[in-house]
Amino acid sequence: MNGPVAGEGKAAAGTRRSGPLIVTEDEDLLDDLLRLCAAAGALPEVAHGTSVRADQWSGAPLVLVGDDCADRLPGIVCREGVVLVGRDPDDPGVWQRALGIGARTVEVLPDGEGRLVDLIADAAEGTGRPALTVGVIGGRGGAGASTLACALAVAAARTGRRTMLVDADPLGGGLDVLLGAERAEGLRWPAFAGSRGRVACRALEEALPEPHSLRLLSWDRGDRVAVPPEAVRAVLAAARRRGGVVVVDLPRGADGAAAEVLGQLDLGLLVVPSELRAVAAAHQVALSVGMMMGDLRMVVRGPCGPGLDGEEVARLLALPLAGEVPEDPGLSRALAAGRPPGADRGPLAAFCAEFWAQVLPDGEGVAA
């Protein structure tokens, strides 16, 4: 596992987080589980055999029970987050023993090591509901997708939600410029080109610039560095695990990295100017990305031409209409003054506020 934000173990080299409770008398199994905890950056508690206190059992974020002890745990209370760990993949009784201790998951070593590291790291990080991840893509060049993505992120951050804005378009010039944050300290995409496996979500968040109360992962203006699809997948997965809201400015091309992003979206917004040629171009974009999105909606950008209001454009493209964004006369002045899109009152800010009110329940994603 490489890169500046390496796996959970490297990220936690200085500060280990509270880890799982391990229950086993098998010294070899204990050594393996301690090694996996170290890889996840977690500091476990160990209960040898049946000497498990009620507070240990109930208070641990995750409980790993060795198969050697599954039949010898009297009086335990069923709880979430119990995993039975064994070594024999052909043991027909392993699931019966798992049910006896309330374990919904069985992992067999060594094949289950990767999954166990992920479970341990998730528990140590205290991850909960993944972030609502919204991608924004232009129906044609210059449609205003980047502007809308920034405005959505600014609006989400203003409500107190944990917010990350991800620039997935390496040819877009960098969203940090649009936010007036090109000099802000923090890492950009090229720093993550070597990331593999699991990326620590807290470390990712802390490594990024924080303009306008949101975290920003942008491209820079240096020599173009190819970020492989597996690195894109790992970084976006870490962003989603942190919870709250993730807004992604999508490229119109569909290379391997873009496909990794599309596969992790909950909702897509296709921005279409109210022009006949833009509608024709957007049709091709919708065909190429729609198959990889379960929920693709359309945003019509005004001013609307004769006979091309939002409902008509939605009919032509056979997509649900997320809303219309009228022309915002104050946007250019705000950008020239160094204020981000959506920061001032106006049609763009109003659309973003209404959008989040519709797709997010009250209080969901608010940072603790």
Side-chain angles (χ1 to χ4, degrees):
M1 209 176 293
N2 305 310
V5 181
E8 307 290 341
K10 187 172 181 179
T15 56
R16 291 285 183 88
R17 300 178 299 276
S18 176
L21 171 67
I22 299 175
V23 183
T24 183
E25 290 182 340
D26 183 331
E27 293 298 329
D28 291 335
L29 180 60
L30 176 59
D31 287 344
D32 284 337
L33 293 177
L34 291 175
R35 173 175 54 82
L36 297 180
C37 288
L43 185 63
E45 184 176 7
V46 178
H48 294 282
T50 58
S51 58
V52 183
R53 301 192 312 272
D55 62 308
Q56 288 178 304
W57 182 266
S58 62
L62 180 71
V63 179
L64 305 177
V65 179
D67 197 22
D68 61 298
C69 290
D71 291 331
R72 298 185 290 118
L73 292 175
I76 61 170
V77 177
C78 289
R79 50 154 289 175
E80 295 290 330
V82 178
V83 180
L84 181 64
V85 185
R87 294 189 183 279
D88 184 0
D90 300 318
D91 184 352
V94 65
W95 276 105
Q96 183 176 354
R97 293 192 295 277
L99 290 174
I101 60 171
R104 296 184 180 181
T105 303
V106 173
E107 293 294 350
V108 178
L109 301 182
D111 291 347
E113 287 193 356
R115 292 185 295 272
L116 272 175
V117 169
D118 284 349
L119 287 171
I120 294 167
D122 282 345
E125 284 189 321
T127 57
R129 183 189 296 272
L132 177 68
T133 306
V134 178
V136 186
I137 187 168
R140 65 158 170 80
S146 296
T147 298
L148 179 58
C150 289
L152 285 170
V154 168
R158 279 186 164 182
T159 65
R161 289 181 169 88
R162 178 178 284 113
T163 304
M164 187 176 294
L165 175 60
V166 178
D167 183 357
D169 185 0
L171 302 180
L175 290 186
D176 54 352
V177 176
L178 193 53
L179 289 174
E182 60 268 32
R183 289 190 171 89
E185 294 186 1
L187 300 182
R188 270 63 171 179
W189 264 118
F192 298 93
S195 298
R196 298 293 186 274
R198 183 188 177 90
V199 172
C201 62
R202 289 180 187 271
L204 171 67
E205 183 181 55
E206 292 168 0
L208 299 179
E210 192 179 10
H212 312 292
S213 301
L214 60 90
R215 293 291 179 172
L216 172 65
L217 177 52
S218 178
W219 290 89
D220 58 15
R221 268 66 54 196
D223 293 338
R224 185 178 175 188
V225 175
V227 179
E230 56 268 27
V232 173
R233 179 174 62 248
V235 170
L236 189 57
R240 297 187 74 240
R241 286 199 310 274
R242 195 71 176 104
V245 168
V246 175
V247 180
V248 186
D249 182 27
L250 296 166
R252 292 173 67 229
D255 59 9
E260 292 292 349
V261 176
L262 291 171
Q264 296 196 52
L265 297 179
D266 297 305
L267 188 157
L269 296 177
L270 177 64
V271 183
V272 185
S274 179
E275 306 163 0
L276 190 57
R277 288 187 63 195
V279 173
H283 177 69
Q284 298 301 317
V285 176
L287 287 177
S288 65
V289 304
M291 294 181 295
M292 293 180 276
M293 286 191 198
D295 187 355
L296 179 61
R297 309 178 194 180
M298 190 188 58
V299 176
V300 175
R301 199 196 77 195
C304 291
L308 275 182
D309 61 8
E311 291 186 0
E312 177 62 13
V313 176
R315 185 189 69 80
L316 291 171
L317 292 177
L319 289 174
L321 180 64
E324 299 180 25
V325 181
E327 186 175 17
D328 193 334
L331 180 59
S332 296
R333 293 193 300 272
L335 294 177
R339 296 189 297 275
D344 295 347
R345 292 180 181 272
L348 182 59
F351 170 86
C352 294
E354 183 178 352
F355 173 81
W356 290 125
Q358 290 178 354
V359 301
L360 280 175
D362 290 344
E364 183 174 307
V366 175

